[in-house]
Amino acid sequence: MTPMVQAQEVCKSFGALHVLKGITLEVGRGEVLCMVGPSGSGKSTFLRCINHLEQVNAGRLYVDGDLIGYRDRGTKLHEMSPRDAAKQRRNIGMVFQHFNLFPHRTALENIIEAPIHVKGVKKDAAVARGKDLLDQVGLSEKANAYPAQLSGGQQQRVAIARALAMNPKLMLFDEPTSALDPELVGEVLGVMKKLATEGMTMVVVTHEMGFAREVANQLVFMDAGVVVESGPPREVLAKPQHERTKAFLSKVL
Amino acid sequence: MTDVDTSSPTSPAAIDAVPLRHPWRWVAAVVIVILVVLFLYGAATNKAFGWDTYAKYLFDKRVTQGAWNTLQLTVYSMVLAIVLGVVLAVMRLSPNPVFRSVSWAYLWIFRGTPVYVQLVFWGLMPTIYKSVQLGVPFGPSFFHLNLQGLSIPFLLAIVGLALNEAAYMAEIIRAGISSVPEGQSEASTALGMSWGMTMRRTVLPQAMRVIIPPTGNEVISMLKTTSLVTAVPYTLDLYGITSREIASRIFEPVPLLLVAATWYLAVTSVLMVGQFYLERYFSRGATRKLTTKQLEALAKAQMGEPHP
């Protein structure tokens, strides 16, 4: 079976600035991969490459066997049309550090927006599914609240429900708890943990080492655009092999 | 759940303080009222204002028709300008370089020349282009329209005003679009929305909060700019009727200027009411304050009633 995410020598540069310098990794189906590393190491950029919010400059990135962002026509790669790129993204959910909920829509409206307007799901069905998802993240009471009326943790849980509403096969989390008060971090991690145990494939950029140790199948430590070290989280966290990993972990643990 | 008893007998009495007095506010208000009364008395007794003429013409059939024509000019040209402005703003921000340049060139020309000159040009259009043909260049023609045979100053006035205004609206709308955080379009993109749908469903509705106040300005400004349509020449607007049609015949400009001013003010007031409701609609979700509906639902929940 092909892995869910397969990155081969992925490079990304913004002008002269090389952010990713050849990332190679695999995420199997139902696996959770946690990416850690200092800020500016390219973790978020790599995550954004996976759903083509950023275009890869070199290397290949496959999600569920599909090449991301390009069409492979044998001899040459062709840039993908925006329509096809949008189609690829439908299967990949993304959760942002700053939630990015639509402030002019209620929690429920946020969730049903894409299923109705992108997938063409009937409104009744979308609402039923939306309420179900709100229930799963423990917010059925807040269906009609606007994002500004919710706490950060509640907003992030709505954002997770919104991504799940598209029935993605892969979920990307970009520092989902970094903008939250410490007491609210737990509720979001709880939802993510549940998601992982239900078999969702997840790539998580995080600074929550406890979460990584407990939930992740694979931990990747990145620095300066390269994967410095990777492996089962318990091993990497307990016995880091590389000096940079040791230095970083000594600061965050 | 633990219930906290807030009605304990030892709770302190509500504060009954003497409110802060503001004597200077009263002084200022009295002074202003005296000045206004003096001005009104002066105006009422001054023969030059010609109040009997004012009263005679305020609801004159020609004047009310002129006010109606002005309102129509304003509404039609603004609607056209807003639609075109949205298109131009979206083009200006689009990733497509052809769209970007076309939009830039449009703004350059229509903002860079006076609206009066543009209106004169639109008036001369039937003289410059005597007829319109639709067909293959240098080939057969499928459609032929003789412009000189038409009498369309009203339409030309609307087109002239709208095309000029669209350039200004485009910039207002662009500012509104730019005010929406990037994360919003990113989240929409990540959900698989196309660029157009992201604009329509996510960005523009949020941009409206920023767009509406200056657009209100533009509508009110347009109401008064319609007095320039005499350049087309279209003469049946409010100012044209009061100044040229009536005042210049009876040689009493002041009362008729007051008539025109009264009508302009009245229409502006109506437009401001419309703006108030529009702003309220598009500020959904902008504050943490609960809406009346939500408060009702919460109150009901407190009373132990089931959800609606």
Side-chain angles (χ1 to χ4, degrees):
Chain A
M1 215 155 62
T2 52
M4 187 56 85
V5 180
Q6 196 178 9
Q8 302 167 348
E9 299 284 321
V10 170
C11 295
K12 173 69 192 172
S13 53
F14 298 97
L17 179 70
H18 298 281
V19 179
L20 299 179
K21 300 168 188 163
I23 305 289
T24 300
L25 54 80
E26 271 183 17
V27 187
R29 283 157 199 278
E31 267 187 19
V32 176
L33 175 111
C34 278
M35 305 185 83
V36 299
S39 53
S41 59
K43 315 176 296 275
S44 291
T45 304
F46 178 70
L47 204 66
R48 294 161 60 84
C49 285
I50 298 179
N51 69 350
H52 198 48
L53 281 180
E54 304 291 351
Q55 193 162 32
V56 171
N57 297 128
R60 299 281 190 276
L61 227 169
Y62 298 90
V63 170
D64 201 11
D66 285 337
L67 182 61
I68 291 294
Y70 297 93
R71 291 241 170 278
D72 196 347
R73 301 232 169 99
T75 51
K76 270 205 110 114
L77 290 191
H78 293 250
E79 262 184 35
M80 201 174 249
S81 74
R83 175 193 291 262
D84 291 335
K87 232 175 240 168
Q88 279 187 332
R89 288 193 193 99
R90 285 178 204 176
N91 301 318
I92 306 171
M94 185 158 191
V95 174
F96 299 87
Q97 181 177 0
H98 296 290
F99 330 135
N100 297 354
L101 287 178
F102 305 132
H104 59 305
R105 302 193 191 285
T106 63
L108 184 63
E109 285 169 352
N110 261 280
I111 296 172
I112 63 177
E113 173 73 8
I116 292 178
H117 291 97
V118 176
K119 271 192 169 170
V121 176
K122 286 268 187 316
K123 183 156 184 206
D124 301 348
V127 167
R129 168 97 171 115
K131 285 188 171 158
D132 187 41
L133 282 165
L134 273 176
D135 198 36
Q136 283 181 34
V137 297
L139 289 172
S140 40
E141 296 283 294
K142 298 288 184 186
N144 295 318
Y146 285 99
Q149 298 164 341
L150 299 174
S151 74
Q154 291 170 335
Q155 288 190 50
Q156 193 61 299
R157 285 187 281 157
V158 173
I160 293 173
R162 176 175 71 173
L164 290 175
M166 293 294 279
N167 297 323
K169 45 191 176 189
L170 169 67
M171 285 284 283
L172 308 174
F173 292 85
D174 190 3
E175 303 200 23
T177 57
S178 299
L180 296 178
D181 290 345
E183 35 163 15
L184 303 180
V185 169
E187 62 188 60
V188 172
L189 292 182
V191 168
M192 290 167 63
K193 234 175 267 179
K194 202 172 101 196
L195 208 53
T197 51
E198 286 165 8
M200 176 63 77
T201 312
M202 294 160 57
V203 179
V204 186
V205 171
T206 186
H207 295 295
E208 296 293 331
M209 297 303 163
F211 174 83
R213 182 184 294 129
E214 200 181 327
V215 180
N217 303 90
Q218 207 187 147
L219 185 82
V220 168
F221 175 74
M222 272 182 74
D223 189 26
V226 294
V227 173
V228 175
E229 196 165 337
S230 69
R234 279 164 207 284
E235 282 175 29
V236 177
L237 291 175
K239 281 176 262 159
Q241 301 298 309
H242 205 282
E243 281 309 314
R244 274 190 287 179
T245 321
K246 280 179 197 164
F248 177 79
L249 289 177
S250 72
K251 279 180 211 146
V252 296
L253 281 179
Chain B
M1 281 279 283
T2 52
D3 278 335
V4 181
D5 190 7
T6 49
S7 59
S8 66
T10 54
S11 71
I15 294 170
D16 180 24
V18 181
L20 188 60
R21 309 279 181 211
H22 298 283
W24 287 107
R25 286 185 195 170
W26 286 98
V27 173
V30 168
V31 169
I32 289 168
V33 166
I34 290 172
L35 287 175
V36 169
V37 167
L38 280 176
F39 172 78
L40 288 178
Y41 178 76
T45 52
N46 190 336
K47 284 271 180 291
F49 280 102
W51 292 109
D52 44 340
T53 318
Y54 172 83
K56 188 174 155 202
Y57 284 103
L58 184 58
F59 292 107
D60 186 283
K61 194 113 200 300
R62 285 170 293 172
V63 172
T64 50
Q65 183 61 47
W68 175 238
N69 287 343
T70 286
L71 186 63
Q72 280 185 306
L73 277 175
T74 308
V75 171
Y76 297 155
S77 50
M78 260 336 271
V79 168
L80 258 179
I82 290 172
V83 171
L84 191 55
V86 170
V87 173
L88 285 166
V90 167
M91 279 167 74
R92 188 89 191 274
L93 293 167
S94 109
N96 182 332
V98 179
F99 282 166
R100 276 206 306 271
S101 343
V102 168
S103 172
W104 183 89
Y106 184 97
L107 257 72
W108 179 59
I109 292 168
F110 280 87
R111 275 200 317 180
T113 55
V115 62
Y116 194 86
V117 173
Q118 288 173 29
L119 285 169
V120 172
F121 257 104
W122 284 103
L124 291 173
M125 210 48 87
T127 321
I128 303 172
Y129 301 99
K130 296 185 172 50
S131 63
V132 175
Q133 287 186 36
L134 205 68
V136 183
F138 309 108
S141 158
F142 309 121
F143 171 81
H144 186 95
L145 179 69
N146 184 4
L147 284 180
Q148 284 190 310
L150 301 171
S151 174
I152 47 170
F154 185 69
L155 273 182
L156 290 175
I158 289 174
V159 169
L161 289 171
L163 292 192
N164 177 260
E165 183 59 32
Y168 292 90
M169 282 308 303
E171 286 296 273
I172 290 174
I173 291 162
R174 186 166 70 97
I177 291 175
S178 310
S179 76
V180 178
E182 207 185 354
Q184 289 295 310
S185 43
E186 220 158 61
S188 307
T189 308
L191 284 169
M193 294 193 196
S194 66
W195 187 80
M197 186 184 283
T198 301
M199 275 288 158
R200 210 172 60 243
R201 304 244 358 133
T202 304
V203 177
L204 280 175
Q206 292 182 58
M208 288 307 273
R209 280 184 56 223
V210 176
I211 292 172
I212 290 172
T215 302
N217 265 354
E218 293 297 311
V219 174
I220 288 165
S221 157
M222 173 64 90
L223 179 74
K224 291 167 294 185
T225 308
T226 54
S227 58
L228 293 182
V229 292
T230 174
V232 170
Y234 177 79
T235 53
L236 298 177
D237 69 302
L238 182 56
Y239 185 74
I241 294 270
T242 49
S243 70
R244 278 179 300 277
E245 170 76 15
I246 302 175
S248 59
R249 286 190 194 171
I250 63 172
F251 302 112
E252 281 199 81
V254 176
L256 282 159
L257 280 177
L258 287 171
V259 167
T262 306
W263 276 104
Y264 280 119
L265 196 57
V267 176
T268 302
S269 313
V270 173
L271 294 175
M272 282 169 74
V273 173
Q275 181 178 347
F276 170 80
Y277 284 104
L278 264 182
E279 276 183 25
R280 202 172 65 172
Y281 175 77
F282 280 107
S283 65
R284 277 170 310 161
T287 70
R288 306 178 52 125
K289 269 197 214 144
L290 298 169
T291 61
T292 333
K293 245 191 229 167
Q294 288 174 320
L295 281 173
E296 270 170 22
L298 282 177
K300 263 186 202 160
Q302 246 178 5
M303 306 278 282
E305 282 178 35
H307 278 286

